[in-house]
Amino acid sequence: MGKLIRLELYNFKSYKGHHTLLFGDSYFTSIIGPNGSGKSNSMDAISFVLGIKSSHLRSTHLRDLVYRGRVLRTSTINEDGSATLPTTNGHTNGNVDSEGEQMQNGTQRSQSERNDPKSAWVMAVYEDDAGDEQTWKRSITNQGASEYRINNRVVTAVQYNEALEQENILIKARNFLVFQGDVEAIASQSPRDLTRLIEQISGSLDLKAEYERLREAKEQANEQQGYKLNQRRGINSEIKQYQEQKREAENYAKKTDERDQAIVNQILWKLYHFQRVMEESSDEIKKHQEELKEYRRGVEKYERDLEEARKAQATVGRDVGKAERSIKRKEKEIEENENAVIPIEEKIELASRKVKNYAARVDEIKKERDSQTSTVEQLKKDQGMVDKAQAKWEAEWKKMAQKEGKELSEADLQEYNKLREQVNTVTSANQIKVDNLGRQSKTDEETVHSLQSSFESTQWQAQKLEEDMKEIGERKEILNLQIRQTSKEIDGKKKEFNNLTSERLRNAQKQTELDEKLQEVLNKLLEADDGRRQSEKELRIKETIAALKRVFPGVRGRLSELCKPTMKKYDEAVSTVLGRHFDAVVVDNEKTAKDCIQYLRDQRAGQATFIPLDTIQVKPINSNMKGMHRGVRLAIDTIDYDKAVERAMSYACGNAIVCDDLNVAKYIVYEKGVEAKAVTLDGTIIHKGGLMTGGRGPGQQNSRRWEDAEVENLRKLKDNLLAELAALPKGHRRGTAEETLQGELTGLEQRSSYAKEELRALDRNLASKKKELDFAKRQLKELKPKLDEKVRNLQTLKGKLQEYKNAVGEVEDDIFAAFCKRLGYESIRAYEAQQGSLQQEAAQKKMEFTTQKKRLESQLSFEGERLRSTKDRIKLLENQAQGDRKLISDLEAEKETLQDESDRLNAELEHLKEQLEKAQRNYSKKAEKVADARREVQKRSKEVEGTLKVVSGLEADIQRNAAGRYALLRRCKLEEIKLPLTDESAGLDKLPVDDLLQQAGADPDEMDLDENPNSSFIQTPAVQDYGIDIDFDELDDDLKEDDDEKREEEMQEKITALTNELDKMAPNMRAIEKLEGVESRLKNTERDFDNARRQAKKASDDFQAVKEERSDLFNKAFSHISEQIGQVYKDLTRSAAFPLGGQAYLDIEDSDEPYLDGIKYHAMPPLKRFRDMEHLSGGEKTMAALALLFAVHSYQPSPFFVLDEVDAALDNANVAKIANYIRDHAGPGMQFIVISLKTGLFQGSEALVGIYRDQSANSSKALTLDLRKYQ
């Protein structure tokens, strides 16, 4: 393979004029230079000349790549457009940025002012395998367009691209360069991104569009073939069906004629006997007309007497009712008044007991207060005594110190100091130990005194707590005795009370529970907007689905009824995901679906979509979508459903995902590139193609269906609760005995409650005291060992101190012997003891006084706090007692008022009872008169009633038979049954269909006249025959004589049998003509099916060919890269410490069609366990990404490889590994051009291209250095 010899630039970005970057015959060239010099612009130049778009070169338009001068505000513009910088102060006021394209604190003048160039070009000189040079040149014209040249010959962009591809330089795959940031992007890319990268390298991506087009064409062809096949099967089935129906139609016509004749015979038989009965009844009525004349005149007088007696009785009855209502109102008022007195008495008794308890409790607590007060005063006295003793001792100590002290002369002091220095020199080591041990001894003594003080204080506190606990225990025993006695009384009262109230309470409790549940249900219905009404269409749909379930067992119901969101927040999203399938009906198999469709057609019940569980094609769910983001979940995971309909749910939901909000959905679909329908919680949709749908329309009400189901359940629950309430027996008011027992129980329970409350307070106080005592004992237990240990340590320390003091003392005795003898001291220590013993004694005494005062202060603080708490308790109880006394006074006044009102109401009640008794006596007299009159009227009316009853029966027979005759005639007219009529008869078409069978020419009010006693005539009811006269000659004589019901049953059974046979046959009378049309359609359908089958086979073959080609290209590249990645990663991570390096491999997720799924890249650095890529460190990610880049580049490698600062995130060790790898692999067929700022990388290259900024020319420039001369 060839190599890149040099790169020529003209007015490209920061390079003004013509510049050459010389690579020569070096296979490892590094481009270096300071920041802002234009290194990356050389990378852009290589990319530009090799066809990369300007958008990838940090520019928006091609014109932005043309050199434009950047000058300072104080610079001078020359004629050629260059800038001359001022030399004031020996430096410039600006600097170049990271791209060398602008200067700080400067301003840009227009191109017209500086004559900036308007065109630029870059030329790459390439030497191929034969040693021939080729020039590839890309220019930016004055119009801002690209121009391509190969060996100075203008070519098109396509030809330019093809020439580069011949040298294995792939622009789309960019297999020849790595930009800044590409390494980080590769390290963090997803499995799908890695798949796309391999597709680009392998060239299989070019077949993606054709693959998807042919796959869709194949699916459509298969669907069309299946549709035509099903259509042909359906037509064949129709032909068989119509042939059978033709035979049934012929038999049906014969049976119909036979049934019609049987119906005519039955109707004639009924009409004949109806007419016979009417004529006989009319004759009987005429006989009874004269009998009623006399009967009615005798009854009239006694009825008038009865009416007058009734009026008098009603007047007196109203007075009695009024008096009874007044008495009931008064009794209710008295009862309410008495009921109001009972709780007041109970409250008075309860408050009185509370006042007594408060007084007793205050007396007990006052005793505690007095005891605590005396304790506090005694502690204060003890504290004063300690203060006086301390003051007295301090005065005595001062006098003694003045009396026993001695003074030395100045010469003696100088001699003492000189000898002391000599002693210190000789005993310096022991003296230091004496000083250290002395300080430590003092510290330990203070610690021992402190621990001793704490131990004594805690011991005293524990004794005090034990005394308090003993007092509390005695009080508890008294309270327990009281509680037991009270509980015994309560049990007796409760047993008596429960016998009276158990049943009433159970009923009341049941009613209360039902009322609470009913109220809760009603509140929920109100919250759920119970006023909503289902539309007429929805009701029809529900009725239709219910009918389908009854007729066809395989119908499971609508999809929306078979599932429910797992959480309420998913309602809108799930209804949006289901979409057009929301109202689809789930059935067991395809046959059931077809039967349902036929049923809907026959019943004209509308349309519906059916999902057969046995034939629907369910695509597998992409499991990679699970856990992709914490705000994303599969739609199928957001609903609850029965396992039996899982296929239908999977079909309706597909791979749709539910996102928490729109930002998550955009991230998943747009950034992550997931090909799935994303739906947010508010119903916004991002489709697979990127189309976004949102907002709310009138059709988006499906989510409320689940709420409607809940509301319906609430309504049913409400009805059940109302039924249970109605079934409960009515409650009754409590009796006086029950109320009395209730009052006594309340008092006893209140007394027990107060005692138990006090007992609980004592328990809490006892528990608190016990905790304090336990804590004090634990402190004593902890302090005792510490104190003993400190004492032992102090004694040991003093022993060591004494040993060192003895050693020092021997030296002091030798050196101070003459000094002590001359001054008359036994030893120098006697002299120093005389001066220091007083101070030591004073310090010890002060320590004792301080310890004693601290102990007293601690005890005084504890007892003071207890005293304040006791006083607060006394004050609280006194306030409560005062409030209860005021309450008793108010209740007594209220009770007296209610008793006065009761006396007044009782007096009024007695007066009302007297009035009622008087009215009742008068009412009894009037009732006797009414009874006598009624007996006389009844006696005279029996004969009239008997005759009228007989007449009424006859009239009813006439009307009933007339109605039956009209009904039969009406039926014949409506059903077009032909009856035999006489020649004079009118036709059935004259019969009114909605006639009410009134009597001919009769007044509608005429029937009322029969009840008038003045009337003695009964008119025979006339029946309208509408001029229709039936000819009964065709009726057999035996049928005319026989009117038995059994005869009618036999005739009806014959008709029913014929009708049942006809109903079972149910022929299609148009079967013959439909049969011809179906046979013609079958021919056309078979022809269409043959065409669809050929098209499906062709589409499948075409798709299989593209699929195999795409898979071959992808697998070839993947196999090569997968084989190379392990070795490349080992080479990159190998070191002296880890000669084997790391491990890396690629894991393909879909072996059948790998380009449809992701490829996972796993890297394991040396001596590290397996972990995901995102858990690696920055350097480890970079090394892994570079290994992948080198492995990918090894497949169809370009002749050169350009790397732009790929070592930016690496430490020196990893940079050295990269340098070694490049140096080992650089050579014929593999040329590396590296842009780097790290010495560890470019110092190992064969040549250096240095980029620097020429400020005077305002341009980047290049230098080339061959390092092989120095290696």
Side-chain angles (χ1 to χ4, degrees):
M1 301 179 73
K3 63 180 179 178
L4 193 64
I5 298 175
R6 66 180 183 277
L7 189 70
E8 298 185 13
L9 300 85
Y10 179 74
N11 291 334
F12 184 80
K13 296 194 85 168
S14 62
Y15 291 89
K16 178 184 178 183
H18 184 270
H19 298 272
T20 300
L21 275 65
L22 185 62
F23 304 129
D25 58 352
S26 171
Y27 288 101
F28 182 10
T29 303
S30 296
I31 301 176
I32 63 175
N35 287 330
S37 61
K39 300 187 305 299
S40 295
N41 288 342
S42 62
M43 175 75 169
D44 293 344
I46 297 174
S47 304
F48 172 75
V49 74
L50 294 178
I52 301 299
K53 293 182 179 180
S54 60
S55 59
H56 297 292
L57 305 179
R58 300 171 295 167
S59 300
T60 306
H61 305 289
L62 283 174
R63 291 181 182 274
D64 297 336
L65 300 177
V66 180
Y67 171 82
R68 287 182 290 180
R70 299 294 188 272
V71 298
L72 300 178
R73 183 179 296 127
T74 56
S75 301
T76 302
I77 306 301
N78 300 325
E79 295 180 358
D80 59 354
S82 64
T84 302
L85 300 177
T87 58
T88 306
N89 297 332
H91 60 82
T92 64
N93 292 328
N95 55 22
V96 182
D97 72 346
S98 62
E99 296 301 330
E101 294 183 356
Q102 66 179 10
M103 307 184 71
Q104 295 178 355
N105 303 322
T107 59
Q108 178 183 356
R109 298 191 179 185
S110 65
Q111 292 185 4
S112 60
E113 292 178 349
R114 299 195 306 273
N115 296 323
D116 280 350
K118 298 181 180 179
S119 63
W121 55 263
V122 178
M123 183 175 69
V125 180
Y126 176 77
E127 182 182 297
D128 57 17
D129 295 337
D132 298 331
E133 289 188 358
Q134 297 183 24
T135 58
W136 299 328
K137 184 176 181 181
R138 183 181 179 186
S139 305
I140 302 174
T141 63
N142 293 337
Q143 290 76 25
S146 289
E147 180 184 82
Y148 298 93
R149 292 176 180 268
I150 298 177
N151 296 329
N152 207 24
R153 179 172 58 87
V154 178
V155 295
T156 64
V158 176
Q159 293 172 338
Y160 195 81
N161 222 3
E162 292 174 352
L164 293 175
E165 289 180 357
Q166 290 178 0
E167 297 297 331
N168 217 18
I169 299 174
L170 308 177
I171 296 176
K172 292 183 180 179
R174 295 198 304 185
N175 65 335
F176 55 89
L177 55 84
V178 179
F179 283 112
Q180 287 185 12
D182 284 357
V183 175
E184 290 79 0
I186 290 174
S188 59
Q189 67 182 353
S190 66
R192 295 301 297 268
D193 294 334
L194 181 55
T195 302
R196 183 175 180 83
L197 174 63
I198 296 179
E199 275 207 280
Q200 289 177 339
I201 295 298
S202 64
S204 64
L205 187 62
D206 298 337
L207 299 174
K208 181 179 179 181
E210 183 68 10
Y211 171 87
E212 293 178 350
R213 184 187 67 80
L214 291 175
R215 181 178 61 182
E216 183 176 359
K218 175 190 172 186
E219 292 174 354
Q220 291 177 353
N222 289 335
E223 183 178 355
Q224 182 68 13
Q225 180 186 3
Y227 171 75
K228 291 299 179 182
L229 177 61
N230 292 332
Q231 190 176 28
R232 188 182 68 172
R233 290 175 179 172
I235 292 175
N236 286 327
S237 176
E238 287 184 36
I239 290 175
K240 293 179 182 178
Q241 183 179 2
Y242 286 137
Q243 289 174 347
E244 181 66 24
Q245 289 176 357
K246 180 181 178 183
R247 291 188 294 271
E248 291 177 356
E250 294 173 351
N251 190 23
Y252 182 82
K254 181 180 178 181
K255 291 287 184 181
T256 301
D257 295 339
E258 185 179 352
R259 183 199 61 182
D260 292 344
Q261 185 59 42
I263 292 174
V264 170
N265 289 337
Q266 184 193 35
I267 292 174
L268 286 174
W269 179 80
K270 286 185 176 181
L271 289 173
Y272 176 82
H273 289 288
F274 283 155
Q275 187 168 339
R276 179 183 60 77
V277 171
M278 287 189 293
E279 292 173 353
E280 293 175 355
S281 297
S282 297
D283 295 339
E284 291 292 328
I285 290 174
K286 291 176 182 180
K287 294 178 182 179
H288 294 288
Q289 288 178 350
E290 294 298 329
E291 297 177 2
L292 288 173
K293 292 180 181 179
E294 294 298 327
Y295 294 156
R296 290 186 180 277
R297 283 193 291 268
V299 174
E300 181 180 5
K301 177 179 178 298
Y302 293 102
E303 285 182 344
R304 284 196 297 268
D305 295 341
L306 177 62
E307 185 64 23
E308 291 176 358
R310 282 177 176 174
K311 290 181 179 178
Q313 184 188 19
T315 302
V316 177
R318 283 193 294 271
D319 295 338
V320 172
K322 183 178 179 180
E324 288 177 346
R325 288 192 296 272
S326 299
I327 289 174
K328 287 182 179 180
R329 284 196 297 271
K330 290 298 179 183
E331 289 177 346
K332 186 176 181 181
E333 292 178 3
I334 293 172
E335 180 183 352
E336 292 176 352
N337 206 37
E338 291 175 352
N339 291 338
V341 171
I342 292 174
I344 292 176
E345 293 176 347
E346 294 174 356
K347 291 180 181 179
I348 292 173
E349 183 181 358
L350 179 62
S352 300
R353 287 198 298 269
K354 289 171 65 177
V355 170
K356 292 179 182 180
N357 292 333
Y358 288 147
R361 184 61 182 154
V362 167
D363 293 339
E364 294 176 2
I365 298 176
K366 282 183 178 180
K367 292 178 182 179
E368 295 181 10
R369 181 196 62 187
D370 296 340
S371 174
Q372 293 170 358
T373 302
S374 61
T375 303
V376 170
E377 291 175 354
Q378 182 62 39
L379 289 173
K380 288 182 179 179
K381 289 180 182 180
D382 294 343
Q383 193 176 24
M385 292 175 62
V386 172
D387 292 338
K388 290 179 181 179
Q390 183 178 5
K392 181 179 179 181
W393 172 81
E394 288 178 351
E396 293 176 353
W397 180 81
K398 288 180 180 180
K399 292 179 181 179
M400 183 177 62
Q402 293 175 357
K403 180 179 180 180
E404 295 182 0
K406 292 183 179 181
E407 297 291 334
L408 296 179
S409 63
E410 187 66 27
D412 292 337
L413 287 174
Q414 290 179 358
E415 184 180 358
Y416 170 79
N417 292 333
K418 182 177 179 181
L419 294 174
R420 174 54 64 188
E421 289 178 0
Q422 185 177 355
V423 170
N424 290 339
T425 302
V426 175
T427 64
S428 60
N430 290 334
Q431 191 67 42
I432 290 172
K433 292 182 180 179
V434 168
D435 293 340
N436 292 336
L437 292 175
R439 285 191 296 270
Q440 186 175 355
S441 175
K442 290 180 180 179
T443 302
D444 289 351
E445 287 176 354
E446 292 176 358
T447 302
V448 168
H449 287 305
S450 176
L451 288 173
Q452 184 68 32
S453 176
S454 299
F455 182 80
E456 292 175 355
S457 176
T458 304
Q459 192 173 24
W460 176 86
Q461 186 177 359
Q463 293 175 354
K464 188 66 177 175
L465 289 171
E466 289 176 350
E467 294 174 0
D468 293 343
M469 289 176 65
K470 184 177 179 181
E471 293 178 1
I472 293 173
E474 294 173 354
R475 176 61 184 166
K476 279 184 62 179
E477 291 179 359
I478 296 172
L479 284 175
N480 284 325
L481 180 61
Q482 293 178 357
I483 290 172
R484 284 194 296 273
Q485 293 175 351
T486 306
S487 298
K488 187 175 181 180
E489 295 179 11
I490 289 174
D491 292 339
K493 296 291 184 183
K494 277 186 177 181
K495 185 175 181 181
E496 183 180 357
F497 179 76
N498 289 338
N499 293 332
L500 297 174
T501 62
S502 59
E503 185 64 27
R504 183 182 59 79
L505 288 178
R506 280 196 297 271
N507 292 336
Q509 182 179 5
K510 181 66 174 179
Q511 184 175 2
T512 301
E513 292 176 357
L514 292 175
D515 287 338
E516 291 176 354
K517 292 180 181 179
L518 181 61
Q519 187 62 38
E520 182 180 357
V521 171
L522 292 175
N523 290 337
K524 290 182 179 179
L525 283 173
L526 184 62
E527 293 173 0
D529 188 16
D530 195 27
R532 74 179 72 184
R533 293 292 183 269
Q534 290 179 318
S535 66
E536 183 179 354
K537 179 181 178 182
E538 178 65 20
L539 290 174
R540 286 201 306 269
I541 292 175
K542 285 188 175 181
E543 292 174 358
T544 302
I545 298 300
L548 289 175
K549 286 183 178 179
R550 289 195 301 270
V551 177
F552 305 105
V555 178
R556 295 183 178 270
R558 285 189 292 180
L559 195 69
S560 58
E561 298 169 351
L562 298 174
C563 69
K564 186 177 182 181
T566 56
M567 299 176 66
K568 188 173 182 59
K569 68 177 183 177
Y570 295 139
D571 287 358
E572 190 71 31
V574 171
S575 63
T576 304
V577 169
L578 296 181
R580 59 189 177 89
H581 299 300
F582 193 86
D583 287 322
V585 182
V586 180
V587 296
D588 286 343
N589 48 57
E590 185 179 3
K591 182 180 182 304
T592 303
K594 290 181 179 179
D595 293 342
C596 291
I597 292 172
Q598 185 62 41
Y599 177 84
L600 295 177
R601 288 176 181 170
D602 296 341
Q603 299 296 325
R604 295 183 179 179
Q607 297 179 344
T609 301
F610 294 89
I611 301 178
L613 294 175
D614 64 335
T615 58
I616 54 172
Q617 297 180 359
V618 181
K619 296 182 179 179
I621 296 174
N622 188 356
S623 59
N624 291 331
M625 294 184 183
K626 293 185 178 180
M628 182 178 295
H629 191 279
R630 65 178 182 179
V632 175
R633 63 211 51 82
L634 287 171
I636 191 105
D637 293 338
T638 62
I639 57 177
D640 289 330
Y641 54 87
D642 191 82
K643 287 295 183 182
V645 295
E646 183 175 6
R647 284 176 56 81
M649 298 302 167
S650 300
Y651 171 77
C653 295
N655 278 330
I657 56 178
V658 176
C659 305
D660 288 346
D661 51 43
L662 188 57
N663 292 330
V664 176
K666 288 180 179 179
Y667 170 75
I668 294 298
V669 176
Y670 295 151
E671 297 184 21
K672 298 292 288 184
V674 175
E675 295 183 359
K677 181 170 73 173
V679 182
T680 63
L681 295 180
D682 60 0
T684 303
I685 311 172
I686 300 180
H687 300 273
K688 291 182 181 180
L691 180 66
M692 186 182 299
T693 305
R696 181 178 293 276
Q700 291 183 327
Q701 300 298 326
N702 290 332
S703 61
R704 299 190 65 181
R705 295 279 186 84
W706 291 296
E707 296 180 8
D708 293 340
E710 294 176 1
V711 169
E712 185 64 26
N713 293 334
L714 288 176
R715 289 197 185 102
K716 293 180 180 178
L717 180 58
K718 181 192 72 174
D719 296 338
N720 294 335
L721 292 174
L722 289 173
E724 292 182 20
L725 280 172
L728 284 177
K730 303 298 181 182
H732 299 285
R733 184 181 61 82
R734 293 189 304 172
T736 305
E738 184 181 348
E739 292 174 350
T740 303
L741 285 174
Q742 180 66 35
E744 294 176 357
L745 271 175
T746 302
L748 290 172
E749 289 175 350
Q750 192 67 35
R751 186 191 308 169
S752 176
S753 175
Y754 286 140
K756 290 179 180 179
E757 182 62 30
E758 185 176 359
L759 183 61
R760 285 193 293 270
L762 290 175
D763 288 336
R764 289 194 295 270
N765 193 8
L766 183 62
S768 177
K769 297 288 185 184
K770 186 175 181 181
K771 288 181 180 179
E772 294 179 12
L773 180 60
D774 292 341
F775 179 73
K777 289 181 178 180
R778 286 198 303 272
Q779 281 188 320
L780 289 173
K781 189 175 181 181
E782 293 174 358
L783 288 173
K784 183 63 176 175
K786 291 181 180 179
L787 179 62
D788 295 341
E789 183 180 0
K790 288 294 182 182
V791 170
R792 289 194 299 272
N793 293 341
L794 181 61
Q795 292 174 354
T796 303
L797 186 65
K798 285 183 177 180
K800 292 182 180 180
L801 178 61
Q802 189 61 41
E803 292 178 2
Y804 288 113
K805 282 184 177 180
N806 293 335
V808 173
E810 293 177 359
V811 176
E812 288 177 343
D813 290 341
D814 293 339
I815 295 176
F816 282 100
F819 179 79
C820 293
K821 185 178 181 181
R822 181 169 56 82
L823 294 178
Y825 289 102
E826 181 180 354
S827 65
I828 190 63
R829 287 180 297 283
Y831 164 74
E832 291 174 348
Q834 182 181 353
Q835 299 297 322
S837 60
L838 294 177
Q839 297 295 332
Q840 185 176 1
E841 182 181 354
Q844 182 67 26
K845 200 69 175 176
K846 286 181 180 179
M847 179 64 71
E848 293 176 357
F849 281 119
T850 301
T851 302
Q852 185 68 9
K853 288 170 69 177
K854 285 183 179 179
R855 183 178 63 81
L856 291 174
E857 287 175 356
S858 176
Q859 294 177 358
L860 185 61
S861 175
F862 175 75
E863 291 296 336
E865 184 64 29
R866 288 183 62 198
L867 180 60
R868 283 192 295 272
S869 176
T870 303
K871 290 180 178 179
D872 292 340
R873 289 164 59 196
I874 293 173
K875 185 176 180 181
L876 177 61
L877 290 173
E878 289 176 348
N879 292 336
Q880 291 176 346
Q882 182 65 27
D884 287 342
R885 283 193 289 272
K886 185 176 181 305
L887 178 61
I888 291 172
S889 177
D890 295 340
L891 292 173
E892 291 287 354
E894 185 177 358
K895 177 181 176 183
E896 184 176 356
T897 302
L898 291 174
Q899 288 176 345
D900 294 342
E901 181 67 16
S902 296
D903 295 340
R904 183 184 65 79
L905 292 173
N906 285 323
E908 293 177 355
L909 179 63
E910 292 296 329
H911 179 67
L912 289 173
K913 287 182 177 179
E914 292 176 359
Q915 292 180 350
L916 175 63
E917 185 178 356
K918 182 179 179 181
Q920 286 176 343
R921 287 195 298 269
N922 192 14
Y923 182 79
S924 299
K925 294 179 181 179
K926 298 295 181 183
E928 290 177 0
K929 291 182 179 181
V930 170
D932 294 340
R934 183 181 294 111
R935 282 193 294 271
E936 290 295 332
V937 171
Q938 290 175 353
K939 182 178 179 182
R940 281 8 179 230
S941 299
K942 285 182 180 179
E943 296 175 350
V944 175
E945 290 175 354
T947 303
L948 289 175
K949 186 175 181 181
V950 172
V951 173
S952 297
L954 294 172
E955 289 176 347
D957 290 341
I958 293 172
Q959 293 294 337
R960 184 169 59 254
N961 287 277
R965 180 178 184 275
Y966 171 77
L968 287 174
L969 294 176
R970 183 174 180 271
R971 174 189 170 191
C972 292
K973 179 180 179 180
L974 294 176
E975 298 181 5
E976 297 181 356
I977 299 174
K978 295 181 180 181
L979 293 176
L981 304 175
T982 62
D983 296 337
E984 296 81 10
S985 173
L988 290 178
D989 55 342
K990 302 297 183 180
L991 181 72
V993 178
D994 54 352
D995 198 313
L996 298 177
L997 288 178
Q998 293 181 352
Q999 295 182 9
D1003 187 349
D1005 297 329
E1006 187 174 356
M1007 293 300 295
D1008 294 336
L1009 296 176
D1010 294 340
E1011 302 299 329
N1012 191 343
N1014 296 325
S1015 175
S1016 60
F1017 177 71
I1018 301 176
Q1019 183 177 2
T1020 302
V1023 179
Q1024 177 64 271
D1025 58 5
Y1026 305 102
I1028 299 174
D1029 188 11
I1030 307 299
D1031 185 2
F1032 296 106
D1033 294 340
E1034 296 183 5
L1035 188 64
D1036 296 339
D1037 293 338
D1038 58 343
L1039 292 177
K1040 291 179 181 179
E1041 296 176 359
D1042 187 4
D1043 61 348
D1044 192 0
E1045 293 182 356
K1046 293 182 179 180
R1047 172 66 69 175
E1048 182 181 3
E1049 292 177 359
E1050 292 174 359
M1051 298 172 72
Q1052 184 61 42
E1053 287 176 359
K1054 180 179 180 181
I1055 295 172
T1056 302
L1058 292 171
T1059 303
N1060 290 337
E1061 291 182 15
L1062 291 173
D1063 291 341
K1064 291 178 181 179
M1065 294 169 66
N1068 185 358
M1069 306 307 292
R1070 300 179 59 190
I1072 299 174
E1073 59 180 290
K1074 287 187 175 181
L1075 180 60
E1076 297 175 356
V1078 172
E1079 289 175 347
S1080 176
R1081 281 196 295 122
L1082 178 60
K1083 295 178 182 178
N1084 297 331
T1085 302
E1086 287 180 344
R1087 183 174 60 255
D1088 295 340
F1089 173 70
D1090 293 337
N1091 294 334
R1093 183 170 56 186
R1094 287 192 296 269
Q1095 291 177 0
K1097 185 177 185 306
K1098 182 178 181 304
S1100 177
D1101 294 340
D1102 295 344
F1103 171 73
Q1104 192 64 28
V1106 174
K1107 174 184 174 182
E1108 291 176 358
E1109 183 180 359
R1110 188 179 182 188
S1111 297
D1112 292 342
L1113 290 173
F1114 188 89
N1115 289 329
K1116 182 179 179 182
F1118 175 79
S1119 299
H1120 176 83
I1121 295 170
S1122 180
E1123 292 173 358
Q1124 294 293 323
I1125 187 67
Q1127 187 60 41
V1128 172
Y1129 188 70
K1130 286 182 179 180
D1131 294 342
L1132 284 176
T1133 56
R1134 182 182 293 119
S1135 64
F1138 309 108
L1140 296 179
Q1143 295 181 6
Y1145 62 92
L1146 298 176
D1147 185 12
I1148 194 168
E1149 295 181 356
D1150 187 351
S1151 59
D1152 185 22
E1153 293 185 89
Y1155 40 78
L1156 297 181
D1157 217 326
I1159 294 177
K1160 292 185 179 180
Y1161 176 34
H1162 304 285
M1164 290 179 285
L1167 296 182
K1168 289 191 177 181
R1169 61 182 178 85
F1170 169 78
R1171 63 182 67 182
D1172 292 334
M1173 184 66 71
E1174 59 267 20
H1175 296 152
L1176 298 178
S1177 65
E1180 291 171 345
K1181 285 183 180 179
T1182 302
M1183 295 297 286
L1186 286 173
L1188 180 59
L1189 281 174
F1190 290 143
V1192 170
H1193 182 265
S1194 66
Y1195 180 75
Q1196 294 183 352
S1198 64
F1200 50 85
F1201 201 26
V1202 185
L1203 306 174
D1204 186 5
E1205 296 190 23
V1206 297
D1207 55 352
L1210 298 177
D1211 54 14
N1212 292 333
N1214 286 327
V1215 169
K1217 294 177 182 178
I1218 295 295
N1220 292 334
Y1221 180 85
I1222 294 175
R1223 188 166 52 249
D1224 293 341
H1225 291 77
M1230 179 60 72
Q1231 180 185 10
F1232 286 93
I1233 299 174
V1234 181
I1235 299 175
S1236 176
L1237 289 174
K1238 294 197 175 181
T1239 308
L1241 182 57
F1242 65 72
Q1243 70 182 0
S1245 59
E1246 297 177 355
L1248 292 178
V1249 176
I1251 307 298
Y1252 67 97
R1253 183 75 177 181
D1254 188 347
Q1255 296 290 354
S1256 61
N1258 195 21
S1259 172
S1260 297
K1261 292 187 177 181
L1263 297 174
T1264 301
L1265 177 63
D1266 189 352
L1267 296 180
R1268 288 173 291 187
K1269 301 177 182 179
Y1270 310 101
Q1271 293 176 349

